[in-house]
Amino acid sequence: MKEALLIVLTVESSRIFKQFESTRYIHRFTQMTADTGISYPLKAKVIYVQLDKCLEQYRAGQNSESDDGKPDRLQKSLETIADVYDEKVSNENDEI
C-alpha cells in the first residue's frame, strides 16, 4: 500500500488536545505503537488540525506553525474553513 494522508479538521478541540501544552495546532501522527510495545511507521499518516486554536492565533496575528511566527497562506485558508463569516478572516483572504 502506498502512503496516504488522513486529515482531521476539528472545529472545537477535544479535551486531550486542549490539555496538551503546545502552541502548535497541527499534530502529525506517524508512528503506531501497540500495547505490547511493538512500534512501526504508519502507512496512513494521520494529521489533526485544531481549527479553533488556529483561528485564535490568527486573530492575535500569530502562527506557531510558521518559522517566522506570522500568519501565512495555509493559516489563512484554515481560518476560512474555521469561520467563513469572520470579518477579519474574509477581508484578509480577499487580499491573497
Side-chain angles (χ1 to χ4, degrees):
M1 178 174 132
K2 297 212 180 235
E3 284 191 42
L5 288 176
L6 172 62
I7 301 173
V8 180
L9 303 174
T10 60
V11 175
E12 187 175 324
S13 300
S14 64
R15 183 176 25 183
I16 194 163
F17 287 106
K18 287 180 180 178
Q19 290 175 343
F20 184 72
E21 295 192 25
S22 172
T23 59
R24 308 290 296 265
Y25 55 85
I26 298 176
H27 308 275
R28 298 161 184 87
F29 292 84
T30 58
Q31 196 74 11
M32 178 173 259
T33 303
D35 59 352
T36 60
I38 297 172
S39 187
Y40 63 90
L42 288 171
K43 288 290 184 183
K45 308 294 189 236
V46 181
I47 301 170
Y48 285 84
V49 180
Q50 294 176 266
L51 293 176
D52 54 342
K53 191 173 194 176
C54 185
L55 180 59
E56 181 182 314
Q57 287 185 18
Y58 182 74
R59 287 178 177 158
Q62 303 167 346
N63 185 3
S64 63
E65 298 294 336
S66 69
D67 291 336
D68 62 4
K70 296 179 182 174
D72 59 12
R73 183 173 281 213
L74 173 62
Q75 188 185 36
K76 288 178 184 181
S77 297
L78 291 171
E79 295 325 308
T80 302
I81 295 168
D83 187 354
V84 71
Y85 299 109
D86 182 273
E87 199 171 303
K88 175 179 170 56
V89 173
S90 60
N91 287 341
E92 291 185 10
N93 277 333
D94 289 340
E95 298 171 11
I96 293 178

